[in-house]
Amino acid sequence: MALFLVRMTVELPADLDPGQRKELLDSESEYSQRLQRSGRWRHLWRVAGRFGNVSVFDAADNDELHAMLWDLPLFPYLSLEITPLSAHPSRIPFDEIAFND
Amino acid sequence: MALFLVRMTVELPADLDPGQRKELLDSESEYSQRLQRSGRWRHLWRVAGRFGNVSVFDAADNDELHAMLWDLPLFPYLSLEITPLSAHPSRIPFDEIAFND
Amino acid sequence: MALFLVRMTVELPADLDPGQRKELLDSESEYSQRLQRSGRWRHLWRVAGRFGNVSVFDAADNDELHAMLWDLPLFPYLSLEITPLSAHPSRIPFDEIAFND
Amino acid sequence: MALFLVRMTVELPADLDPGQRKELLDSESEYSQRLQRSGRWRHLWRVAGRFGNVSVFDAADNDELHAMLWDLPLFPYLSLEITPLSAHPSRIPFDEIAFND
Amino acid sequence: MALFLVRMTVELPADLDPGQRKELLDSESEYSQRLQRSGRWRHLWRVAGRFGNVSVFDAADNDELHAMLWDLPLFPYLSLEITPLSAHPSRIPFDEIAFND
Amino acid sequence: MALFLVRMTVELPADLDPGQRKELLDSESEYSQRLQRSGRWRHLWRVAGRFGNVSVFDAADNDELHAMLWDLPLFPYLSLEITPLSAHPSRIPFDEIAFND
Amino acid sequence: MALFLVRMTVELPADLDPGQRKELLDSESEYSQRLQRSGRWRHLWRVAGRFGNVSVFDAADNDELHAMLWDLPLFPYLSLEITPLSAHPSRIPFDEIAFND
Amino acid sequence: MALFLVRMTVELPADLDPGQRKELLDSESEYSQRLQRSGRWRHLWRVAGRFGNVSVFDAADNDELHAMLWDLPLFPYLSLEITPLSAHPSRIPFDEIAFND
Amino acid sequence: MALFLVRMTVELPADLDPGQRKELLDSESEYSQRLQRSGRWRHLWRVAGRFGNVSVFDAADNDELHAMLWDLPLFPYLSLEITPLSAHPSRIPFDEIAFND
Amino acid sequence: MALFLVRMTVELPADLDPGQRKELLDSESEYSQRLQRSGRWRHLWRVAGRFGNVSVFDAADNDELHAMLWDLPLFPYLSLEITPLSAHPSRIPFDEIAFND
């Protein structure tokens, strides 16, 4: 498995039909939550003051990462920045962290 | 509490004394692990192929964030990029995630 | 509480209906003044020669900052640049300043 | 009078003599506080996670602004970004603000 | 008084109605010449090969500078870059220059 | 004759010998004033808050422009940005301007 | 005479009427060839893989350069980058070159 | 054969030994003139106001281009920007040009 | 023969007619496969998370490279970045590689 | 397995001891050839006119990619740009390519 930092910025046209806009955002949310439940979309934060997010994906390989991002309902309106992550030697074991988010 | 994405890039001089270099990196690692155990340094990943990391800090406020970063032993050799994060409306509750890193 | 420098640049479409434009700018102004009176929007300056401003917000945390910016009537037409601020050690006490703006 | 947003980034050489470094920073702090008391250096905030600050200067004109910045003890080690500010039409009167920093 | 270097780039939509375009450019030219005669718009040069100019404005303060630029008929189609200028210590007195443009 | 906007930024090494530094700056000033008197260096302004200037040169052609800049005593320490200027159609005749700098 | 390197990038709207497009490109080609024959447009190369070119113009002065570029039929659809050139001291005399393009 | 636009910027250390500097520049000039005579280094212009040049190389292929540039005596001090050129459809035949540089 | 790294980014308008879109992408795919079979389009990879690719072309010269790219059905919607490649001295002979993609 | 495009730029100090330089480059070459033989370093091209290369790595995951790059003898002198690749739907089967580099 491999982790990737993904920064998404949403650029919806200002004149998009409100109904179509709601539908897009609803299906995006549903898609995102399905991937979160599966453990593939590991973290999801809003960037404060922006229409966008910072996420961490966990993919079997680059092909699976691409498939997950390509299928995002908002994909045609996203600009995506991707950073491959790896294990950090100073990272402490998971059960030593006071972890609660 | 507030979360911040922090991207650190290390730029150590190529001619740094090896002993001084080791000492710096050891104290950085120890400092980092202390903050991780306290729950303040929530995530730490190596950027693949770079001398640097992507981290998520959890701070009481901007002053505490600044104090934690300013005291990093490597601070004089770091370039830091900071992004304030907030809760994302599509984020699922913590106990619904298959979470294991 | 935490302070944030926010730089806003307005990009209204040149062909926006004048009535809609006036309504947008009026509600933006009203929204801004309400937040100024509450003490949340601490400073507001016009950038000379630009359609935009430099502001300082005072927020309980990143979530509150995001909510305030997301609700700006002009939000879909703004590009926002956000810098978290903290206390400066050389800052003199408030009552020693000849302060009058 | 005219206001200017000034963003300063400090770039001290890593091998600067500690005594010389302390002397520089002390005289910078003293110089800054003198200008703050005079009302010329109106605001001073630390940029969280950076060796630098965001400031607002109040100068009679561009010549006075230049003189104040040129005389900064740290001037040879600063990179400065300057934005002329003007009054914003949505700014509320000073005595209507709950102002306390 | 304070001088400002202002670099203007014009970005008129390619499909702008020719009559409206001519009217805009005529009123821009008239506005510019009125400010030149008043001594406020001190220099005006075409940037070779560009639809734009390099200008020097002389304003009482930042507020007056902003008002002059904001009222440009082409303002909604301009991108503006502003640099505050001050006196240079090597500048020779005006009457010693062989000055003829 | 042709006019060129030249923006110069000075980057002197922080550890330059003070005597050598003074000599360099004195010869630069003398060189600049000789070109100003000849009418070749038409305008010279300090960029407020920067070690640098904005200038307008008047040269017979690009070769003469290059020769004047190449011979600047500070040339090895300058970064130069050059913009060829031409006559602007809205420029009013010289004797109609209230011109006094 | 003065030489200028000019890099042109063409940005025609994708939905331009094909007839209008052909007319524009034909008149551009004719205009270019007339200037080439006059010796003013000295070199013209296609940038491989781009809709654009690298050219060298020979102009009496900046005003003539501006006039030649301003009158390009494609001017409203071009982004132009201009570099003033001068004689290089290592350039060998013209008749010593095996010159054949 | 293939043409390449090559833009070279020279960044010699300010403290380079003057003898070594002269030797470097002399061998660079000699090397350049040999390639010019062979017809490989087709054009060479000084960028006005810069320590650098704009050149056009004519190489059998990318390997030969690389070999010519790699062997430049100044190579370790150059930053190089390379643009592959191809024939432009509007280029007129060579013998129709009033060509004289 | 010469190799070129070509990075293509596709920017199709969001409101393109679905039928026209499918036709474009089908002809692009067919064109690409024909060039791959001929050995001219040597490598083709999807950039993970992007609508675009990284490719290596093998062309007789810059003119042939330009012709292949100019004729891409998607050319009007592509932004292209081209890097000329040459042989690397550390490259091992082809038959020593465990090569299997 | 996952493929990554890696672009390496070498920045060796100009005053590096020649012996140390040769040793570094020799061990880099040896290291590179070992990884090429193992099939991990799949492609290696020189960027024409640059001290650097374009490579394709084949790694089990991001951790293995990081380990291979981190251990490069030249790592402290490299700037690295990494792009995760995935399979392209228009890619033809390997045995249909006239493949010979």
Side-chain angles (χ1 to χ4, degrees):
Chain A
M1 303 302 288
L3 298 180
F4 296 88
L5 182 77
V6 180
R7 187 165 179 155
M8 305 186 193
T9 307
V10 187
E11 284 152 353
L12 285 177
D15 60 354
L16 189 67
D17 171 75
Q20 198 180 340
R21 180 186 161 101
K22 183 175 179 330
E23 202 175 336
L24 257 173
L25 294 179
D26 285 353
S27 63
E28 178 81 7
S29 183
E30 188 183 359
Y31 177 86
S32 162
Q33 297 192 343
R34 198 166 57 240
L35 285 186
Q36 289 178 66
R37 285 206 180 78
S38 77
R40 285 306 192 231
W41 194 324
R42 294 277 290 267
H43 300 286
L44 170 61
W45 299 283
R46 172 68 81 205
V47 178
R50 294 277 175 88
F51 194 176
N53 66 72
V54 164
S55 294
V56 175
F57 281 80
D58 185 352
D61 53 24
N62 296 348
D63 285 346
E64 197 193 60
L65 173 71
H66 179 71
M68 286 191 285
L69 296 175
W70 185 265
D71 288 347
L72 285 164
L74 283 176
F75 186 80
Y77 306 104
L78 292 179
S79 81
L80 292 165
E81 193 186 329
I82 296 170
T83 306
L85 303 174
S86 59
H88 196 287
S90 298
R91 184 61 173 154
I92 61 171
F94 184 64
D95 56 6
E96 292 183 28
I97 312 170
F99 200 64
N100 60 343
D101 72 340
Chain B
M1 303 303 287
L3 298 181
F4 297 87
L5 182 78
V6 179
R7 189 164 176 155
M8 305 187 194
T9 307
V10 186
E11 285 151 353
L12 284 177
D15 60 353
L16 189 68
D17 171 75
Q20 198 180 342
R21 180 186 162 100
K22 183 174 179 328
E23 200 175 337
L24 257 173
L25 295 178
D26 285 352
S27 63
E28 178 81 6
S29 183
E30 187 184 359
Y31 178 86
S32 162
Q33 298 193 339
R34 197 165 58 238
L35 284 186
Q36 288 178 66
R37 286 205 179 80
S38 78
R40 286 307 193 228
W41 194 325
R42 294 276 290 266
H43 300 285
L44 170 61
W45 299 285
R46 174 66 81 204
V47 179
R50 294 278 174 87
F51 194 175
N53 66 72
V54 164
S55 294
V56 175
F57 281 80
D58 185 352
D61 53 25
N62 296 349
D63 284 346
E64 198 193 60
L65 174 71
H66 179 70
M68 286 190 286
L69 297 174
W70 185 265
D71 288 346
L72 286 163
L74 282 176
F75 186 80
Y77 306 103
L78 293 178
S79 80
L80 291 165
E81 192 186 329
I82 296 169
T83 306
L85 303 174
S86 59
H88 195 287
S90 298
R91 184 60 173 155
I92 61 171
F94 185 62
D95 55 8
E96 292 182 30
I97 312 170
F99 199 63
N100 61 342
D101 71 341
Chain C
M1 304 302 289
L3 299 181
F4 297 87
L5 182 78
V6 180
R7 187 164 179 156
M8 305 186 194
T9 306
V10 187
E11 283 151 354
L12 284 177
D15 60 354
L16 190 67
D17 171 76
Q20 198 180 341
R21 180 186 161 100
K22 183 176 178 329
E23 201 174 336
L24 256 174
L25 294 179
D26 285 353
S27 63
E28 178 81 6
S29 183
E30 188 183 358
Y31 178 86
S32 162
Q33 297 193 341
R34 198 165 56 241
L35 284 186
Q36 288 178 66
R37 284 204 180 80
S38 78
R40 284 305 192 233
W41 194 324
R42 294 278 290 267
H43 300 285
L44 171 61
W45 299 285
R46 173 67 81 206
V47 178
R50 294 278 175 86
F51 194 175
N53 66 71
V54 165
S55 294
V56 176
F57 281 80
D58 185 352
D61 53 25
N62 295 349
D63 284 346
E64 197 193 61
L65 173 71
H66 180 70
M68 286 190 285
L69 296 175
W70 185 265
D71 288 346
L72 286 163
L74 283 176
F75 186 79
Y77 306 104
L78 293 178
S79 81
L80 292 165
E81 191 187 330
I82 296 170
T83 307
L85 303 174
S86 59
H88 196 287
S90 299
R91 185 60 174 154
I92 62 171
F94 185 63
D95 55 6
E96 292 182 28
I97 311 170
F99 198 64
N100 60 343
D101 71 342
Chain D
M1 303 301 288
L3 299 180
F4 297 87
L5 182 78
V6 179
R7 188 163 176 153
M8 305 186 193
T9 306
V10 186
E11 284 153 352
L12 285 177
D15 60 353
L16 190 67
D17 171 75
Q20 197 180 343
R21 181 186 162 99
K22 182 174 180 331
E23 200 175 337
L24 257 173
L25 294 178
D26 285 353
S27 64
E28 178 81 6
S29 183
E30 188 184 0
Y31 178 87
S32 162
Q33 298 193 340
R34 197 165 58 239
L35 284 186
Q36 288 178 66
R37 285 206 179 78
S38 78
R40 285 305 193 231
W41 194 325
R42 294 277 289 266
H43 300 285
L44 170 61
W45 298 285
R46 174 66 82 205
V47 178
R50 294 277 176 87
F51 194 175
N53 68 71
V54 164
S55 294
V56 176
F57 281 81
D58 186 352
D61 53 24
N62 296 349
D63 285 346
E64 197 192 60
L65 174 71
H66 179 69
M68 286 190 285
L69 296 175
W70 185 265
D71 288 346
L72 287 163
L74 282 176
F75 186 80
Y77 306 102
L78 292 179
S79 80
L80 292 165
E81 192 186 329
I82 295 169
T83 307
L85 303 174
S86 59
H88 195 287
S90 298
R91 184 60 173 156
I92 61 171
F94 185 63
D95 55 8
E96 293 182 28
I97 312 171
F99 200 63
N100 60 342
D101 71 342
Chain E
M1 304 303 287
L3 298 180
F4 296 87
L5 182 78
V6 179
R7 187 164 179 155
M8 304 186 195
T9 306
V10 187
E11 284 151 353
L12 285 177
D15 61 354
L16 190 66
D17 170 77
Q20 198 181 341
R21 181 186 161 100
K22 182 176 179 328
E23 200 175 336
L24 256 174
L25 295 179
D26 285 353
S27 63
E28 178 81 7
S29 183
E30 188 184 358
Y31 178 86
S32 162
Q33 297 192 342
R34 198 166 56 239
L35 284 187
Q36 287 178 66
R37 285 206 179 77
S38 77
R40 285 305 191 232
W41 194 323
R42 295 277 290 265
H43 300 285
L44 171 61
W45 298 284
R46 174 66 82 205
V47 178
R50 293 277 174 88
F51 194 175
N53 67 71
V54 164
S55 294
V56 175
F57 281 81
D58 186 353
D61 53 24
N62 295 350
D63 284 345
E64 197 192 60
L65 173 72
H66 180 71
M68 287 190 285
L69 296 175
W70 185 265
D71 288 347
L72 286 163
L74 283 176
F75 187 80
Y77 305 103
L78 293 178
S79 81
L80 292 165
E81 193 186 328
I82 296 169
T83 307
L85 303 174
S86 59
H88 195 289
S90 298
R91 184 60 174 156
I92 61 171
F94 185 63
D95 57 6
E96 292 183 28
I97 311 171
F99 199 64
N100 60 343
D101 70 344
Chain F
M1 303 300 288
L3 299 180
F4 296 88
L5 182 78
V6 179
R7 188 164 177 154
M8 304 186 195
T9 306
V10 187
E11 285 152 353
L12 285 177
D15 60 353
L16 190 68
D17 170 76
Q20 199 181 341
R21 181 187 162 99
K22 183 176 179 331
E23 201 175 336
L24 257 173
L25 294 179
D26 285 353
S27 63
E28 178 81 7
S29 182
E30 188 183 359
Y31 178 86
S32 162
Q33 297 193 340
R34 196 165 59 240
L35 284 186
Q36 288 178 66
R37 286 208 178 76
S38 77
R40 285 306 192 231
W41 194 325
R42 294 277 288 267
H43 301 285
L44 170 61
W45 299 285
R46 173 67 82 204
V47 179
R50 293 278 176 87
F51 194 176
N53 66 71
V54 164
S55 294
V56 176
F57 281 81
D58 186 353
D61 54 24
N62 295 349
D63 284 346
E64 197 192 60
L65 174 71
H66 180 70
M68 286 190 284
L69 296 175
W70 186 265
D71 288 347
L72 286 163
L74 281 177
F75 186 78
Y77 305 104
L78 293 179
S79 81
L80 292 165
E81 192 187 329
I82 295 170
T83 307
L85 303 174
S86 59
H88 196 288
S90 298
R91 184 60 174 154
I92 62 171
F94 185 63
D95 56 7
E96 293 182 28
I97 312 171
F99 200 63
N100 59 343
D101 71 342
Chain G
M1 303 303 287
L3 298 180
F4 297 87
L5 181 78
V6 180
R7 187 163 179 156
M8 305 186 194
T9 306
V10 186
E11 284 152 352
L12 285 177
D15 60 353
L16 190 66
D17 170 77
Q20 198 181 340
R21 180 186 161 100
K22 184 179 178 327
E23 201 175 335
L24 256 174
L25 294 179
D26 285 353
S27 63
E28 178 81 7
S29 183
E30 188 184 358
Y31 178 86
S32 163
Q33 297 192 343
R34 198 167 56 240
L35 285 186
Q36 287 177 66
R37 284 206 180 76
S38 77
R40 285 303 192 234
W41 193 325
R42 295 276 291 265
H43 300 286
L44 170 61
W45 299 285
R46 174 67 82 204
V47 178
R50 293 278 174 87
F51 195 175
N53 67 71
V54 164
S55 294
V56 175
F57 281 82
D58 185 352
D61 53 25
N62 295 350
D63 284 345
E64 197 192 60
L65 173 71
H66 180 71
M68 287 191 284
L69 296 175
W70 185 265
D71 288 346
L72 286 163
L74 282 176
F75 186 79
Y77 306 103
L78 292 179
S79 81
L80 293 164
E81 193 186 329
I82 296 169
T83 307
L85 303 174
S86 59
H88 195 287
S90 298
R91 184 59 174 155
I92 62 171
F94 185 64
D95 56 7
E96 291 182 30
I97 312 171
F99 199 65
N100 61 342
D101 71 343
Chain H
M1 303 302 287
L3 298 180
F4 297 87
L5 182 78
V6 180
R7 187 163 178 156
M8 304 186 194
T9 306
V10 186
E11 284 153 353
L12 285 176
D15 59 353
L16 190 66
D17 170 76
Q20 197 181 341
R21 181 187 161 100
K22 184 176 178 329
E23 201 175 335
L24 257 173
L25 294 178
D26 285 353
S27 64
E28 177 81 8
S29 182
E30 189 183 357
Y31 178 86
S32 162
Q33 297 193 341
R34 195 164 60 238
L35 284 186
Q36 288 178 66
R37 285 207 178 76
S38 77
R40 284 305 192 232
W41 192 325
R42 295 277 289 266
H43 300 286
L44 171 59
W45 299 285
R46 173 67 80 205
V47 179
R50 293 278 175 89
F51 194 175
N53 67 70
V54 164
S55 294
V56 175
F57 281 81
D58 186 353
D61 54 23
N62 296 349
D63 284 345
E64 197 193 61
L65 174 71
H66 180 70
M68 286 190 286
L69 296 175
W70 185 265
D71 288 346
L72 287 163
L74 281 177
F75 186 80
Y77 305 103
L78 293 178
S79 80
L80 292 165
E81 192 186 330
I82 296 169
T83 307
L85 303 174
S86 58
H88 196 286
S90 298
R91 184 59 174 155
I92 62 172
F94 185 63
D95 56 8
E96 292 183 29
I97 312 171
F99 200 63
N100 60 343
D101 71 344
Chain I
M1 303 303 287
L3 298 180
F4 297 88
L5 181 78
V6 180
R7 187 163 179 156
M8 305 187 193
T9 306
V10 187
E11 284 152 354
L12 284 176
D15 60 353
L16 191 65
D17 171 76
Q20 197 181 339
R21 180 186 162 101
K22 184 176 178 329
E23 202 175 335
L24 257 173
L25 295 179
D26 285 353
S27 63
E28 177 81 7
S29 183
E30 189 184 357
Y31 177 86
S32 162
Q33 297 192 343
R34 198 166 57 241
L35 285 185
Q36 288 178 65
R37 286 208 178 75
S38 77
R40 285 304 192 233
W41 193 325
R42 294 277 290 267
H43 300 286
L44 171 61
W45 297 285
R46 173 67 81 205
V47 179
R50 294 276 175 89
F51 194 175
N53 67 71
V54 163
S55 294
V56 175
F57 281 80
D58 185 353
D61 52 25
N62 296 348
D63 284 345
E64 198 192 60
L65 174 71
H66 180 70
M68 287 190 285
L69 296 175
W70 185 265
D71 288 346
L72 286 163
L74 282 176
F75 186 80
Y77 305 103
L78 292 178
S79 80
L80 292 165
E81 193 186 330
I82 296 169
T83 307
L85 303 174
S86 59
H88 195 287
S90 298
R91 185 60 174 154
I92 63 171
F94 184 64
D95 56 6
E96 292 182 30
I97 312 171
F99 200 64
N100 60 344
D101 71 341
Chain J
M1 302 303 288
L3 299 180
F4 296 87
L5 182 78
V6 179
R7 187 163 178 155
M8 304 186 194
T9 306
V10 186
E11 285 151 353
L12 285 177
D15 60 353
L16 190 67
D17 170 75
Q20 197 180 343
R21 180 185 162 100
K22 183 176 179 328
E23 200 175 337
L24 256 173
L25 295 178
D26 285 353
S27 64
E28 178 80 7
S29 183
E30 188 184 358
Y31 178 87
S32 162
Q33 298 193 341
R34 196 164 60 238
L35 284 186
Q36 287 178 67
R37 286 206 179 77
S38 78
R40 285 306 192 231
W41 193 325
R42 295 275 290 265
H43 301 286
L44 170 61
W45 299 285
R46 173 67 79 206
V47 178
R50 293 278 174 88
F51 194 174
N53 66 72
V54 164
S55 294
V56 176
F57 282 80
D58 186 352
D61 53 25
N62 296 348
D63 284 346
E64 198 193 61
L65 174 71
H66 180 70
M68 287 190 285
L69 297 175
W70 186 265
D71 288 346
L72 287 162
L74 282 176
F75 186 79
Y77 305 104
L78 293 178
S79 81
L80 292 165
E81 191 186 330
I82 296 169
T83 307
L85 303 174
S86 59
H88 196 287
S90 297
R91 184 60 174 155
I92 62 171
F94 185 62
D95 56 7
E96 293 182 28
I97 312 171
F99 199 63
N100 60 342
D101 71 342

